[in-house]
Amino acid sequence: ASTFKAWVNIMYGCNKFCTYCIVPYTRGKERSRKSVDILNEINELKALGYKEVTLLGQNVNAYGKDIDDLSFPELMEKIALTGIERIRFTTSHPWDFSEELIDVIAKYPNIMNHIQLPVQSGDSEILRLMGRRYSREQYLELVERIKKKIPDVSLTTDIIVGFPNESEEAFNNTLSLCEIVKYDSAFTFIYSPRVGTPAAKMKDNVSMETKKARFNKLTATIAKYELEKYKTFEGKVVKVLVEGPSKKNENILSGYTEDNKLVNFVGNKNMVGQIVNVKIVKAKTYTLEGEQVD
């Protein structure tokens, strides 16, 4: 376990009932923890020298809706005011992503500018079958509002290919959405039915051959924009929270930037757990290589 990065559960369960997901059935409905308990825990972590907390929930944006307490943006603001150096959160359902939340992320430098915003599909009809509660247009409009207020935002996502009834046109809508948003990276999945979910009752009518071909096309598209984005960091100085020596070479340290990019650089082991300045020398598809600067 890390002595400088912590994960804090702020809520459990989910009320969204996306048709492919088993979570609401296994983990029950949304239950938020009291904000006072969360803030006490974060203040304790800060006192112990922790540099970063990640707030966890199946859908953090729904925090507080089930109890008479703070909303998620209000909680985020209170956490930012503890002064802990880095705050992250995951996962955010696009459906409840409020304007207040965008404002809070934009306002506090210790709230990291990385947002994991699962889209799952770029096609409105497939989104409807998935039970996602937003259309392609609504998602893109949210992305536009986020980018306007947080210009250097890093957006990552989750995408499922080959969901039941996904036509070639529907898949192309997902590709074109990726070309518009230009994600920093994405978790991509080939659809497979989960027993006990509504989607498992739908006819799994996209062949495995088609699923694999679409998956390869999607990952190639994502990788193209990912590399483009990473290239923009060459020559820039970024702040890296050093996690430890690389598995392959102990003189190489690795850690993450504020917007969650992995950086490798030559450094001294006593930097572990510290936030240091690193100048990026070379961008690769999934990592940045740099050198430490004072």
Side-chain angles (χ1 to χ4, degrees):
S2 169
T3 52
F4 47 87
K5 274 175 87 161
W7 285 262
V8 176
N9 267 302
I10 65 167
M11 63 186 300
Y12 303 94
C14 188
N15 295 355
K16 286 292 176 286
F17 291 95
C18 299
T19 57
Y20 50 80
C21 181
I22 200 79
V23 166
Y25 307 97
T26 54
R27 299 195 197 155
K29 60 181 196 305
E30 288 165 358
R31 303 177 304 291
S32 302
R33 285 179 66 198
K34 287 187 181 139
S35 60
V36 53
D37 296 341
I38 297 166
L39 289 160
N40 285 343
E41 188 177 340
I42 288 169
N43 279 312
E44 278 168 28
L45 290 165
K46 182 174 181 256
L48 289 168
Y50 279 78
K51 296 269 198 293
E52 178 176 303
V53 291
T54 300
L55 312 176
L56 298 178
Q58 285 306 133
N59 169 26
V60 288
N61 302 347
Y63 173 82
K65 290 185 178 183
D66 58 317
I67 54 174
D68 185 18
D69 204 323
L70 304 175
S71 67
F72 185 55
E74 289 166 341
L75 177 70
M76 287 287 275
E77 181 150 42
K78 285 265 194 339
I79 294 170
L81 293 169
T82 65
I84 195 152
E85 289 185 65
R86 288 186 165 192
I87 301 156
R88 301 188 187 280
F89 59 96
T90 192
T91 282
S92 258
H93 192 294
W95 189 69
D96 331 74
F97 208 105
S98 67
E99 206 55 38
E100 294 80 46
L101 182 56
I102 301 174
D103 289 336
V104 169
I105 299 167
K107 181 176 176 183
Y108 292 97
N110 56 342
I111 298 178
M112 299 295 97
N113 58 338
H114 166 238
I115 301 171
Q116 166 68 9
L117 198 64
V119 68
Q120 307 300 3
S121 169
D123 182 76
S124 294
E125 179 52 25
I126 296 294
L127 288 169
R128 192 183 65 74
L129 291 174
M130 289 177 164
R132 290 294 288 172
R133 306 183 184 206
Y134 53 83
S135 65
R136 170 195 176 90
E137 290 69 33
Q138 285 167 316
Y139 183 93
L140 286 172
E141 194 249 338
L142 172 61
V143 165
E144 210 167 288
R145 283 188 284 127
I146 290 171
K147 286 184 172 180
K148 198 169 154 188
K149 285 185 174 171
I150 314 166
D152 60 349
V153 71
S154 161
L155 286 173
T156 57
T157 200
D158 296 344
I159 298 171
I160 298 169
V161 299
F163 192 76
N165 298 316
E166 183 184 67
S167 63
E168 200 59 35
E169 185 192 2
F171 172 68
N172 285 333
N173 284 338
T174 296
L175 278 187
S176 74
L177 181 127
C178 294
E179 286 165 352
I180 295 165
V181 179
K182 299 180 170 59
Y183 292 106
D184 289 54
S185 69
F187 298 105
T188 47
F189 308 91
I190 288 179
Y191 173 76
S192 61
R194 287 291 296 273
V195 176
T197 60
K201 297 187 181 78
M202 298 177 191
K203 194 169 187 288
D204 186 8
N205 54 9
V206 181
S207 74
M208 187 43 86
E209 192 186 2
T210 303
K211 285 179 186 176
K212 283 182 174 163
R214 287 178 186 172
F215 180 80
N216 292 340
K217 206 166 174 183
L218 177 67
T219 48
T221 301
I222 299 280
K224 182 179 105 179
Y225 292 110
E226 188 165 352
L227 185 59
E228 264 177 33
K229 189 86 182 221
Y230 278 51
K231 286 269 188 222
T232 64
F233 283 87
E234 289 183 345
K236 285 185 182 165
V237 174
V238 292
K239 289 186 182 343
V240 175
L241 174 53
V242 185
E243 304 222 337
S246 137
K247 289 182 181 72
K248 294 181 190 138
N249 176 350
E250 60 172 44
N251 298 318
I252 302 280
L253 297 176
S254 66
Y256 286 87
T257 63
E258 294 183 329
D259 65 354
N260 218 32
K261 308 264 186 299
L262 181 62
V263 176
N264 295 317
F265 65 100
V266 175
N268 191 316
K269 272 196 249 187
N270 63 13
M271 292 175 183
V272 172
Q274 304 299 317
I275 293 174
V276 301
N277 289 323
V278 176
K279 185 176 183 183
I280 301 306
V281 181
K282 187 175 191 325
K284 295 185 170 179
T285 306
Y286 305 109
T287 55
L288 297 168
E289 287 179 9
E291 48 198 31
Q292 200 241 333
V293 292
D294 291 325

